[in-house]
Amino acid sequence: MKQIRNFCVIAHIDHGKSTLSDRLLEYTKTIADREMQDQALDNMDLERERGITIKSHAIQMYYDRPSDGKQYTFNLIDTPGHVDFSYEVSRSIAACEGALLLVDASQGIQAQTISNLYLAIDHDLEIIPILNKVDMESAMIDEVSDQIIDLIGCEKEDIVLASGKTGLGVPDIMEAIVERIPAPEGDPGAPLQALIFDSVFNAYRGVIAYFRILNGTMRKGDLVRFVNTGKEYEADEIGVLKMTQHPKDKLEAGNVGYIITGIKESKEIKVGDTITTVERPCEKAIQGFEDVKPMVFAGIFPLDNDDFEDLRDSLEKLQLNDASLVFEPETSAALGFGFRCGFLGMLHLEIVQERLYREFDMDVITTVPNVSYNLMDKSGEEYTVRTPSELPEQHTIEMVEEPYITAQIITKPEFIGTIMTLCMEKRGTLTKQHYLTPERVELSFDLPLAEIVFDFYDRLKSVSRGYASFDYQPIEYRETDLVKLDIRLNGEPVDALSALVHRSKAEAFGRQICKKLKELLPRQQFVIAIQAAVGAKVIARETISALRKDVTAKCYGGDITRKRKLLEKQKAGKRRMRQFGKVEVPQKAFLDVLKL
Ligand code: GTP
């Protein structure tokens, strides 16, 4: 055990985590040069394209240390980089004794550097600060070193200068890992206690869980129990991960490995759960287990109603390897049959949408996303509201609570004013302002999650001209004043466009939708009133005047075949219309409004 080191790499997005990890794999000859593909650890296509690590992975390498001639086993545990997956980050961190804190020398410390660092410090990890990309002309070595010193309270000599591009500093990093990160502790003779920090789905082998053994020994063929779910399975195969799986007969305390039990659905295995043996179970589960709950909900409908069953099929397949995706059937007068889906956050929603499109060729409409609310009615009954239609009549409601988050924003001092204005407009309160250096300031806000679900990130970027990074963690539910905003066309409500909004935002939001609809709806042979209403009260209105639509008008007489083609096109377009009372709404109008 003395020769094992378990560590992760934490960094803000794009600070070079994958590139540097690849250099470590190369240096230890874990991958031969010719096998080397850029970013070997990101093995999902989508990850590669988006340059984000969606699912964490673990990999083992051997380091032959020149100074003592001994061979060390390094387990590098990769952590996902985005806030939607912060629970997974925290479990990966809990499986390590040390962390390489990577900071891009041309960018300096950013929001995720700090949020991940806090997680690592919470778990008492030894931090090795690394100043990366020092090969770049724009590298600010002294300034960023000062930021790091201020942030973690280390000495200048503790910071390793590195470049994932040229390989500079890699030998120093190897030595720092051996010298500074403590070897794992734990008793191989004790009852088995292993922490699951990740799982992946494999179409042939089922669910593969990655774990770190804190105590005890795991053997192939053992009957194992997952403590929190209470399920029991046989360990069909256990082993360690290099570039591929290497099966072993046993693994002892301190080690990182994988287990295959024939489980076919990823929701059967929960990240954060403890594995023990049925024969000699451990007394306690490892702390910190949470059942991850979706935070953001939206309806997903097929573009073509005939594709409903295909959509169900696709969602079920996605769920096999994405345990955090939940869905149930939902019907809408406007959009037909579809599903109400729950996501960890907005990025998760986008990923699901994109995977539906790429992997299953499904074109879908997504309704306005909203968070989930806790509601208590006048009779004292409590329930959860996840869709606009679930919100009861205002006079029956005693109290509604909405989820809040704490956000870290790192920026330049000149943008403090505009960022404060934005966060206040989003109903936020400033809780902390800290200068990391005279040129860089950390702001913390408490904000309703509902407000950042929308356009927060884009707005933040534009008010700071790109000089702000942002990260957040959920904190608690707080009381709120929630209303249901309805959109009506000539008095008929359009359910797909209803939204749950804070009372203070209802009017502005209603105006925006009415205006957009006015642009998008084709004129018809009668006047159309577009209204936004809260309860019986209309709070915004637009009118579309009547017109006899003549699509052939622009054809200047003449060519009859062209005229016929246009008329046929119009007919085809009709089939994609939805009817509200007398008013016809093209499918595309929904798509465009929902993009708002
Ligand atoms: P995420 O997985 O999205 O968090 O990104 P990452 O932190 O893994 O960053 P990645 O390794 O993908 O690198 C981001 C970009 O920086 C890529 O375009 C790399 O080619 C570039 N890059 C990484 N390391 C270095 C370096 O040391 N020097 C220079 N000049 N560029 C680098």
Side-chain angles (χ1 to χ4, degrees), residues 95-115:
C96 303
E97 278 80 28
L100 310 183
L101 178 76
L102 212 60
V103 182
D104 183 329
S106 69
Q107 301 288 317
I109 283 168
Q110 300 288 348
Q112 266 176 290
T113 320
I114 295 196
S115 56

Side-chain angles (χ1 to χ4, degrees), residues 139-155:
M140 307 174 287
I141 296 183
D142 290 329
E143 190 190 324
V144 181
S145 294
D146 287 343
Q147 292 174 9
I148 295 175
I149 293 166
D150 177 71
L151 184 69
I152 63 176
C154 64
E155 302 290 326

Side-chain angles (χ1 to χ4, degrees), residues 185 192-195 211-218 251-257:
E185 291 170 359
L192 178 67
Q193 210 183 19
L195 168 71
F211 59 80
R212 152 75 196 270
I213 305 184
L214 297 186
N215 281 302
T217 301
M218 189 186 289
L251 285 169
E252 291 188 343
N255 272 295
V256 172

